[in-house]
Amino acid sequence: MNEVLLNKTELLILLLEEAREKFASRGEEAPDFFSEVKPFADKVRDTCDEWLPLAEEFANRTRANYIHGSQISAAAENLQSLSISALQPDMRERRFKDLASSVEYVLHQLRDGLKQDQTK
């Protein structure tokens, strides 16, 4: 189970980086929702849906790096929000960076906890 969770966590880290890239390259006009926003948002949502129960169970079982279930569910929600708003021209840079940093912290703490658990 931990190997699957580790792979999903690393995939979410990559998706977060992709959202950051999309945010950095966004234009002045809103993109087409169905051709640009929805495919990425669906990929993030599907991955979060698979990852969330595994991550919550692991965090509750091990208290990995002091990450709690509420932080994990908030990270999943925030990442899904970022996947939709990354291309929106009205998304404020500070808000985007704050959410992205929060998600990144949780994902990295969980990944580190998983790697530490594997060495036991």
Side-chain angles (χ1 to χ4, degrees), residues 2 8 16 19 21 28-29 39 42 55 59 62 83 88-89 103 105 110 113:
N2 286 356
K8 297 268 181 226
L16 175 60
E21 290 169 10
E28 293 293 320
E29 296 194 23
D42 286 347
T62 64
S83 71
Q88 302 305 316
V103 170
Y105 174 80
L110 186 66

Side-chain angles (χ1 to χ4, degrees), residues 7-94:
N7 290 337
K8 297 268 181 226
T9 302
E10 289 177 344
L11 176 57
L12 287 176
I13 291 169
L14 292 174
L15 290 171
L16 175 60
E17 286 307 310
E18 188 175 343
R20 283 183 165 143
E21 290 169 10
K22 288 178 182 295
F23 182 78
S25 66
R26 69 192 171 158
E28 293 293 320
E29 296 194 23
D32 181 66
F33 180 79
F34 291 102
S35 67
E36 294 181 55
V37 177
K38 189 174 183 333
F40 181 63
D42 286 347
K43 182 177 181 180
V44 170
R45 184 199 65 226
D46 293 345
T47 306
C48 284
D49 287 349
E50 295 168 0
W51 171 82
L52 185 59
L54 299 173
E56 287 177 328
E57 192 277 325
F58 177 77
N60 290 333
R61 180 172 44 86
T62 64
R63 294 287 180 216
N65 292 347
Y66 305 104
I67 296 294
H68 300 279
S70 61
Q71 291 171 287
I72 289 173
S73 60
E77 288 175 24
N78 289 339
L79 183 54
Q80 291 176 56
S81 175
L82 289 173
S83 71
I84 294 169
S85 59
L87 289 167
Q88 302 305 316
D90 61 344
M91 179 65 170
R92 292 196 173 122
E93 184 174 1
R94 181 174 177 161

